[in-house]
Amino acid sequence: MTAVVPRLVEQFERGLDAPICLTWELTYACNLACVHCLSSSGKRDPRELSTQSCKDIIDELERMQVFYVNIGGGEPTVRPDFWELVDYATAHHVGVKFSTNGVRITPEVAARLATSDYVDVQISLDGATAEVNDAVRGTGSYAMAIRALENLAAAGFSDAKISVVVTRHNVDQLDEFASLASRYGATLRITRLRPSGRGADVWDELHPTADQQVQLYQWLVAKGDRVLTGDSFFHLSGLGEPGALSGLNMCGAGRVVCLIDPVGDVYACPFAIHDRFLAGNILSDSGFGTGFANVWKNAPLFRELREPQSAGACGSCGHYDSCRGGCMAAKFFTGLPIDGPDPECVQGYGVPALAQERDKPRPAGDHSHGRRRSGPVPLTLSLHPPMQPPPPPKRLCNESPV
């Protein structure tokens, strides 16, 4: 009798021996103060992992045969040992994909990057024009990102990525983003806005409207063949036939993805930085040993997430097999039940849930420069009274922009 081979999504739901997509935030230090920052970055944490601790993690990743790591922050390039760690990773067969606002991508750095086959660069850009981008990321950030793209192109760097968080203010610019990518020989990567970090404060004002969700879906189906999404938009799958959008269409938290933060805490998901999703710390023995591999393989939280999950309130929906209930982090930080509909459910089931009184959990750790704003999102493009985002520090320090 021929053995029944489970579907790929079913195999992944049970967890793998190593993450497919490991995100590693090297630092919370950042020269910008983006209003939607997932990690509320700005100031460096004094407990930041040492160079040697980072190299020990890389050694583990090599033993686990992790193919590559997504490095972010904060702005990872402001760590003085950043390039040392990149070189150490690639020398130990761990490829590096790092996200940057472009502040350190000088012509000299671009030339160095162009010589490496194991380093990929993502330039963050949240508007195809300075007006839209700088309202979210800060004055001058558009020019800084474009300068980085120009330097990479001039150096002959192959296939940089332009990384865009889709908001209601830039969803009409998708064609313009694609044109920018073509101009610089880059690939467009678009991701979903999550209500995490400072994004929790602005999600209501920034996330695409229901009509814009449909617009985004139609654009992805028509023009998204060469656009990277990283499974950001599986909640849109309920708008069409299963498989219309490429990807696993499932929540990979603790199964195929996780996050290491700057102090060595390991979270189930890069978008769920909260004690509820904290699996352990690589430096601490919580009963299952130290090191990343022990956390990944033995943490009770990860074992729990790899158990069969109930469809909950979405079980009776005919689109559940397409969207799998949507994003765990988006539900959690908007105060919705984890086994309920996604807040942006395209069948509309999230709308009445959002209309109810909810207790919205606060993301863990605020590393923002100065006091965090409350009230209307500080966007000059919104209908609220004009306010500017907090400006970047006047001086870009080598170690920390504090």
Side-chain angles (χ1 to χ4, degrees):
M1 180 181 294
T2 303
V4 177
V5 179
R7 293 184 305 159
L8 192 60
V9 65
E10 293 172 346
Q11 297 180 56
F12 283 9
E13 282 181 327
R14 300 167 189 165
L16 301 178
D17 290 339
I20 292 177
C21 182
L22 170 62
T23 298
W24 186 359
E25 294 182 343
L26 281 180
T27 184
Y28 288 126
C30 191
N31 57 301
L32 296 182
C34 304
V35 300
H36 59 3
C37 179
L38 290 168
S39 57
S40 300
S41 287
K43 295 183 289 186
R44 177 179 177 267
D45 192 308
R47 301 170 299 157
E48 199 170 273
L49 293 173
S50 67
T51 302
Q52 186 55 54
S53 292
C54 291
K55 289 182 177 179
D56 291 343
I57 292 174
I58 292 168
D59 290 340
E60 279 198 276
L61 300 182
E62 181 183 20
R63 290 192 293 270
M64 295 172 73
Q65 297 183 313
V66 173
F67 182 64
Y68 74 90
V69 59
N70 287 304
I71 290 181
E75 172 52 46
T77 63
V78 304
R79 264 192 72 134
D81 60 357
F82 175 71
W83 299 113
E84 178 183 353
L85 293 175
V86 169
D87 289 343
Y88 189 85
T90 56
H92 287 76
H93 315 292
V94 178
V96 171
K97 300 188 178 199
F98 73 91
S99 298
T100 175
N101 56 44
V103 63
R104 292 286 173 81
I105 309 299
T106 63
E108 294 75 20
V109 167
R112 174 180 177 176
L113 288 168
T115 65
S116 176
D117 293 329
Y118 301 102
V119 179
D120 197 11
V121 185
Q122 291 185 166
I123 306 295
S124 297
L125 197 65
D126 289 328
T129 59
E131 178 191 16
V132 174
N133 178 84
D134 290 7
V136 171
R137 301 187 64 83
T139 303
S141 57
Y142 179 83
M144 185 166 64
I146 294 298
R147 185 164 58 247
L149 288 166
E150 291 172 344
N151 290 340
L152 289 167
F157 184 87
S158 177
D159 196 25
K161 308 297 184 292
I162 295 178
S163 185
V164 177
V165 177
V166 179
T167 69
R168 67 181 57 178
H169 297 290
N170 67 20
V171 70
D172 291 328
Q173 296 186 320
L174 292 173
D175 284 335
E176 294 174 65
F177 282 121
S179 295
L180 273 176
S182 177
R183 181 185 310 167
Y184 295 108
T187 295
L188 178 60
R189 178 179 183 268
I190 63 174
T191 58
R192 182 182 179 184
L193 174 72
R194 261 77 168 205
S196 307
R198 285 196 295 270
D201 298 334
V202 301
W203 186 81
D204 288 338
E205 289 84 0
L206 280 187
H207 78 96
T209 65
D211 287 343
Q212 288 175 329
Q213 298 279 357
V214 176
Q215 175 186 344
L216 172 60
Y217 173 82
Q218 292 173 340
W219 189 88
L220 284 169
V221 170
K223 303 180 180 180
D225 283 348
R226 298 185 179 180
V227 176
L228 304 178
T229 62
D231 264 334
S232 277
F233 302 109
F234 63 92
H235 71 291
L236 298 180
S237 296
L239 288 170
E241 296 297 321
L245 298 181
S246 60
L248 286 175
N249 285 9
M250 60 167 274
C251 173
R255 297 158 168 164
V256 297
V257 305
C258 71
L259 166 79
I260 303 175
D261 84 350
V263 301
D265 284 337
V266 181
Y267 292 90
C269 170
F271 312 115
I273 304 176
H274 187 277
D275 287 347
R276 168 67 179 83
F277 303 105
L278 175 61
N281 184 284
I282 62 166
L283 301 180
S284 304
D285 185 344
S286 300
F288 43 80
T290 60
F292 173 71
N294 276 320
V295 176
W296 176 257
K297 294 175 182 177
N298 303 315
L301 172 67
F302 286 170
R303 291 183 178 274
E304 173 192 336
L305 291 171
R306 292 163 191 166
E307 292 294 321
Q309 303 294 312
S310 167
C314 294
S316 60
C317 178
H319 299 279
Y320 177 75
D321 283 341
S322 297
C323 78
R324 311 293 289 184
C327 174
M328 175 183 72
K331 289 185 274 191
F332 179 76
F333 284 118
T334 51
L336 300 184
I338 297 297
D339 63 352
D342 189 288
E344 294 181 298
C345 169
V346 293
Q347 297 301 315
Y349 297 125
V351 175
L354 289 173
Q356 298 176 13
E357 188 171 337
R358 293 161 285 128
D359 179 20
K360 294 191 284 187
R362 297 301 303 168
D366 184 4
H367 315 278
S368 304
H369 295 293
R371 188 174 180 181
R372 195 142 127 186
R373 291 177 182 265
S374 60
V377 56
L379 277 174
T380 55
L381 296 176
S382 73
L383 297 178
H384 299 298
M387 298 170 65
Q388 289 293 336
K394 295 180 179 179
R395 181 171 62 90
L396 301 179
C397 304
N398 284 333
E399 184 171 359
S400 167
V402 174

